[in-house]
Amino acid sequence: MGMAFSFFSVVVLMLVVYLGAGVAGWHYLFGVIIPYAAIVIFLAGMAYRVIKWGRVPVPFRIPTTAGQQKSLPWIKASTFDNPSSTAGVVGRMALEVLFFRSLLRNTRMELHRGPRLAYHWEKWLWLGGLMFHWSFLLIFLRHLRFFTEPVPAFVSWLEGIDGFFRFGLQGLYITDIVIVVAVTYLFLRRVVIPQVRYISLPADYFPLFLILGIAGTGILMRYFFRVDITAVKELTTGLVTFRPRVPAGIGVLFYIHLFLVCTLGAYFPFSKLVHMGGIFLSPTRNLPNDSRARRHINPWNYPVKVHTYEEYEEEFREKMKMAGLPVEKV
């Protein structure tokens, strides 16, 4: 039910734009008002989440460790799995954000006849996640050509490498194929594996269908149903410079694509996708494990009246003697 609900939700979003094509002023609504509203919701939502995370007290060092901690000089410490310095934390975060190092080391447990436990390396989940995130990033960077003038050199360089292969007379972007394959794999994994399907919610399926819709409409515009690129760039540069203007003749397919992108942006801060920012604020990842080298005192501690052992013994000395308990003062 969750999968069906998410799928039809994305279909409804696409139909809203398609059916609204005959309404007066719909170009300005879907080309200007909704993109600006999505940006405001995204920025406000991300700011709210970051401030909320930042206000959570972290009085202790609680990094997730998976290796030898730095201790005696003759014991080899694990630099990235158990970092004890800021440089080690930066290296660990870089490996996690760029290459999903912890997911690469993930294993899956299975119970076989015997009974016998077997552990399998979950390399396909790591590969699918890596393909999806990197292709999404490259596609995002490629789209900067619609918002900048002149186009940065690195964007043109990325386009040249990404579009090395040819599809007819135009370049075939490798990332277009990779992102569809990766998202399809992540979707099928949730459907095929019973344990994953059991814990999957509409919030897990909806972003997948939404991204598939964005990628699908983008591919259709790129290779099958051409749109006026000059008019599209005129619209996007007008949005960036806060001088919005909606040129004629862009086509409804572009507005469907843009509306799905706006939906993803507005939905982002309130979904599981917000882990993009949350990973940098996770105390299990961004703290060095130096508890043996430094004494960490809880900064939220406030002075309280304590009952020391000397005071305790002074109060109960006679009773402790009668009970046969040792005392420091006779």
Side-chain angles (χ1 to χ4, degrees):
M1 290 298 295
M3 179 178 62
F5 175 79
S6 301
F7 175 77
F8 285 112
S9 297
V10 175
V11 172
V12 168
L13 291 175
M14 300 172 71
L15 288 176
V16 165
V17 185
Y18 182 77
L19 297 177
V23 180
W26 76 278
H27 292 86
Y28 196 84
L29 173 64
F30 291 103
V32 177
I33 297 177
I34 290 179
Y36 277 142
I39 294 173
V40 170
I41 294 173
F42 174 81
L43 295 177
M46 290 299 295
Y48 168 76
R49 297 299 291 266
V50 170
I51 293 173
K52 184 178 179 180
W53 286 327
R55 296 178 64 183
V56 175
V58 185
F60 305 108
R61 296 282 164 154
I62 55 173
T64 301
T65 59
Q68 174 62 47
Q69 184 179 4
K70 181 181 179 181
S71 56
L72 300 175
W74 49 272
I75 298 178
K76 182 176 176 57
S78 182
T79 305
F80 298 120
D81 288 322
N82 203 339
S84 58
S85 63
T86 302
V89 172
V90 172
R92 182 191 195 191
M93 290 292 294
L95 290 173
E96 186 68 29
V97 172
L98 298 177
F99 303 107
F100 304 164
R101 187 166 183 262
S102 62
L103 188 60
L104 174 63
R105 304 169 65 181
N106 189 34
T107 57
R108 176 167 51 93
M109 182 185 70
E110 289 183 353
L111 182 63
H112 296 273
R113 290 182 178 179
R116 181 172 61 89
L117 284 177
Y119 294 88
H120 302 276
W121 179 32
E122 279 279 14
K123 56 183 177 297
W124 297 115
L125 176 59
W126 168 79
L127 184 61
L130 196 67
M131 290 170 55
F132 165 71
H133 286 84
W134 271 104
S135 59
F136 194 98
L137 174 63
L138 293 176
I139 291 172
F140 175 81
L141 294 176
R142 280 199 291 104
H143 278 65
L144 290 179
R145 67 189 178 96
F146 292 108
F147 300 92
T148 54
E149 186 61 43
V151 178
F154 77 92
V155 176
S156 302
W157 180 75
L158 283 177
E159 283 189 321
I161 294 187
D162 196 5
F164 178 79
F165 296 102
R166 310 302 297 177
F167 181 78
L169 298 177
Q170 59 183 344
L172 174 64
Y173 288 132
I174 302 173
T175 52
D176 290 343
I177 301 174
V178 171
I179 193 170
V180 172
V181 172
V183 176
T184 303
Y185 164 74
L186 295 175
F187 166 72
L188 292 177
R189 178 178 175 272
R190 289 196 172 274
V191 175
V192 173
I193 301 177
Q195 296 88 341
V196 180
R197 183 173 66 247
Y198 180 77
I199 63 174
S200 296
L201 301 172
D204 298 307
Y205 291 110
F206 181 70
L208 295 176
F209 288 126
L210 198 58
I211 294 171
L212 275 176
I214 293 172
T217 53
I219 290 172
L220 288 176
M221 286 188 293
R222 168 71 182 175
Y223 304 106
F224 301 100
F225 302 99
R226 304 291 293 177
V227 297
D228 190 344
I229 299 297
T230 303
V232 170
K233 184 158 187 176
E234 184 178 351
L235 171 64
T236 53
T237 53
L239 292 173
V240 173
T241 57
F242 297 101
R243 292 192 295 268
R245 180 178 178 275
V246 182
I250 293 181
V252 69
L253 187 59
F254 168 78
Y255 288 106
I256 294 175
H257 180 76
L258 180 61
F259 184 59
L260 294 180
V261 172
C262 293
T263 303
L264 180 65
Y267 177 70
F268 196 97
F270 312 101
S271 67
K272 296 181 179 180
L273 302 175
V274 79
H275 67 264
M276 181 188 73
I279 188 173
F280 296 100
L281 296 171
S282 173
T284 61
R285 294 287 179 184
N286 62 14
L287 291 176
N289 190 18
D290 56 356
S291 298
R292 292 182 179 178
R294 296 177 55 224
R295 177 177 173 83
H296 298 281
I297 300 175
N298 186 353
W300 289 274
N301 278 347
Y302 56 91
V304 295
K305 180 175 175 54
V306 296
H307 196 213
T308 64
Y309 178 77
E310 290 79 4
E311 294 173 341
Y312 175 85
E313 184 177 309
E314 188 68 30
E315 182 178 355
F316 298 102
R317 183 178 293 110
E318 298 303 325
K319 294 182 179 180
M320 292 172 68
K321 290 180 179 179
M322 293 175 59
L325 298 175
V327 293
E328 291 185 358
K329 294 182 179 180
V330 180

